[in-house]
Amino acid sequence: MLIGFTAIFTGIFAGTYYWFYSYASTLALERLRDNLVNAYRIVNAGIDGDSFEVLLEQPLSDNGVRVENNPLYIAHQSWLVEITETEPRALAYTYTAGDDPGEIIWIGDAYRTILPDRSPTQFKESYQDEVGLYEGLSETGVIMTPSQDEWGTWIIAYGPIYNSSGEIVGALGVDFSANYLRNVQQQVRMAVLLIFAIAYLVLILLVYLVARKLTQPITRLTEISERIGNGDYSQSGQLAKFHQRQLRDEITQLAAVFEGMVDKVRQREVTLKQQITELKIEIDHSKRQQQVQEIVDTDYFQSLQKKARMMRRNRDESKE
C-alpha cells in the first residue's frame, strides 16, 4: 500500500512540478523580455545615427590621438555606459557590417569603459557572428534562448541604427542578464523540493496510520484464529468484540463466521470425545471377555474345574 501510494503521488508530483516549473520559467522569460525590449528602446532612442555614421569613419589613431580620446567615441561610449548604470542587467554595444558574410565590426561596447581589463571587444575589431547578431543589421529581433559566456548568462535584443536619411548604418545590441531566470528556476526547485519532502513525510505517516488501522483487526483476528486452532476455544469471546465495532465491514463479517465455526467445532469436539470414551469402554469390555475366555479355555483351568467339581461331590457325599 505504501509503495502504491508513493508511486501514485510521485507521478502526480512530477506532473505538477513540470507544470509549475514551466509556468514560472515562462513568466520569468516574459518579464525579462519586457525589460530587455524597454532597455533596447531606451538605448536606441539615444543614439544619433548621423554621428554614429561619422564614428564609423574614424581610424584607430589619428595623428597620434587614439580613438578613445575622440569626442564622438567618448560621447557614444558614455551613453552606452549610462544605460548600464541605470539598468545594471543591461549591456549595450554597437556594430556594423564587415566585408565578409556574417562578419560584424565592433564599434561601441559599455564593457570597455566599465571593465577595460575584461572587455571582450575592441573598436573596429572583426567578429564572425555565431549567435544571430548579424540579423540586427536588417531587422529588429530578440534571442530569448539564454546563451552563456564567461561574463554570465544573457538574452539578446538587436536592431538597426538609422541615419537621418533612413539608411541603416549599423546595429545596436543589448545583452540582458538572464540570471533572474536562473534564480527563479532555482527558487522554484528549492521550494518544490521542500514541499515535496514535507508532503512525502506526511504521506508516509498517513499511509502508515491508515494501513495500521486496516491491518490491525486482521492481525488480531489471525492471532485469535491461531490460538483457537491450538484448542483454546476461550478465544471465541474475543471474536465477539469485533461485533462491537461501529464500522460494520468485511472484518466484522469474517469474525462472525469464525465465531460460528468455533462453536460448531467445539460441539463436534465434545461429541467426538464422548464417542471416543464410549468406544474405549466397549473396547475394554470386549478385551476383558476375550482374556477371560482365553483363561477358561486353558488345560490348567479345565483341570481346576474338574477338581472343584470332585471336591464339591465328595463334600456332598460326606454330608449324606
Side-chain angles (χ1 to χ4, degrees):
M1 182 181 294
L2 182 61
I3 294 175
F5 272 103
T6 302
I8 293 174
F9 180 78
T10 301
I12 295 174
F13 171 80
T16 304
Y17 169 77
Y18 176 77
W19 175 85
F20 188 70
Y21 185 82
S22 300
Y23 179 73
S25 298
T26 301
L27 286 181
L29 273 175
E30 290 178 355
R31 183 174 180 179
L32 282 175
R33 179 188 178 92
D34 293 340
N35 293 336
L36 170 63
V37 172
N38 289 335
Y40 168 80
R41 289 174 178 172
I42 293 173
V43 178
N44 195 33
I47 296 178
D48 181 7
D50 293 335
S51 298
F52 182 79
E53 188 174 14
V54 174
L55 181 60
L56 297 180
E57 304 299 328
Q58 301 301 311
L60 295 177
S61 178
D62 185 14
N63 294 326
V65 179
R66 293 186 57 81
V67 70
E68 288 83 354
N69 298 320
N70 184 294
L72 287 177
Y73 180 81
I74 294 174
H76 186 69
Q77 282 289 112
S78 297
W79 173 242
L80 298 181
V81 171
E82 183 177 346
I83 296 302
T84 301
E85 291 176 347
T86 304
E87 173 54 85
R89 294 176 295 176
L91 178 65
Y93 48 87
T94 55
Y95 55 94
T96 188
D99 296 331
D100 298 328
E103 180 188 14
I104 61 178
I105 305 298
W106 298 117
I107 302 301
D109 189 344
Y111 241 148
R112 281 186 222 142
T113 303
I114 297 173
L115 296 173
D117 296 335
R118 297 181 55 191
S119 176
T121 70
Q122 298 297 326
F123 180 70
K124 287 195 172 181
E125 180 183 5
S126 174
Y127 172 74
Q128 192 65 34
D129 177 44
E130 296 178 354
V131 296
L133 292 177
Y134 197 83
E135 300 295 330
L137 294 165
S138 59
E139 61 183 7
T140 301
V142 176
I143 301 175
M144 292 302 298
T145 302
S147 59
Q148 188 171 3
D149 56 26
E150 58 181 311
W151 292 277
T153 303
W154 312 91
I155 55 176
I156 303 171
Y158 54 76
I161 297 175
Y162 297 91
N163 61 16
S164 58
S165 300
E167 298 173 342
I168 297 176
V169 294
L172 166 68
V174 178
D175 290 353
F176 203 87
S177 175
N179 291 333
Y180 169 73
L181 173 62
R182 300 181 66 180
N183 292 337
V184 169
Q185 292 174 337
Q186 184 176 3
Q187 291 175 3
V188 169
R189 284 195 296 267
M190 295 300 296
V192 172
L193 287 176
L194 178 60
I195 295 173
F196 176 72
I198 295 175
Y200 251 116
L201 292 177
V202 173
L203 173 69
I204 292 174
L205 179 60
L206 289 177
V207 172
Y208 172 76
L209 293 177
V210 172
R212 183 178 179 183
K213 186 67 175 178
L214 293 176
T215 59
Q216 189 174 16
I218 299 176
T219 303
R220 181 60 180 160
L221 188 60
T222 302
E223 294 175 353
I224 295 174
S225 301
E226 291 178 351
R227 294 179 181 178
I228 293 174
N230 294 327
D232 185 6
Y233 295 108
S234 63
Q235 296 294 318
S236 60
Q238 299 294 329
L239 294 173
K241 295 182 179 180
F242 285 89
H243 302 311
Q244 301 174 1
R245 299 175 60 189
Q246 296 181 353
L247 180 62
R248 311 291 295 181
D249 53 12
E250 290 79 3
I251 301 298
T252 305
Q253 297 178 1
L254 184 60
V257 173
F258 278 174
E259 188 177 8
M261 292 174 58
V262 169
D263 291 337
K264 292 180 181 180
V265 170
R266 179 166 48 191
Q267 293 175 2
R268 290 178 182 176
E269 184 171 338
V270 171
T271 302
L272 182 59
K273 287 182 178 180
Q274 184 177 358
Q275 292 176 349
I276 291 175
T277 302
E278 293 176 354
L279 180 60
K280 184 177 181 180
I281 293 174
E282 292 180 359
I283 292 175
D284 291 343
H285 181 69
S286 298
K287 185 179 294 184
R288 284 196 298 270
Q289 287 182 342
Q290 183 178 0
Q291 291 174 351
V292 170
Q293 186 64 39
E294 290 177 355
I295 294 173
V296 171
D297 292 338
T298 60
D299 294 338
Y300 178 74
F301 186 78
Q302 295 294 332
S303 175
L304 289 177
Q305 282 186 329
K306 289 181 180 179
K307 290 180 181 181
R309 284 196 295 271
M310 290 179 63
M311 291 174 65
R312 284 197 297 272
R313 187 180 305 115
N314 292 334
R315 188 181 55 188
D316 293 341
E317 290 178 354
S318 63
K319 288 180 179 182
E320 291 178 355

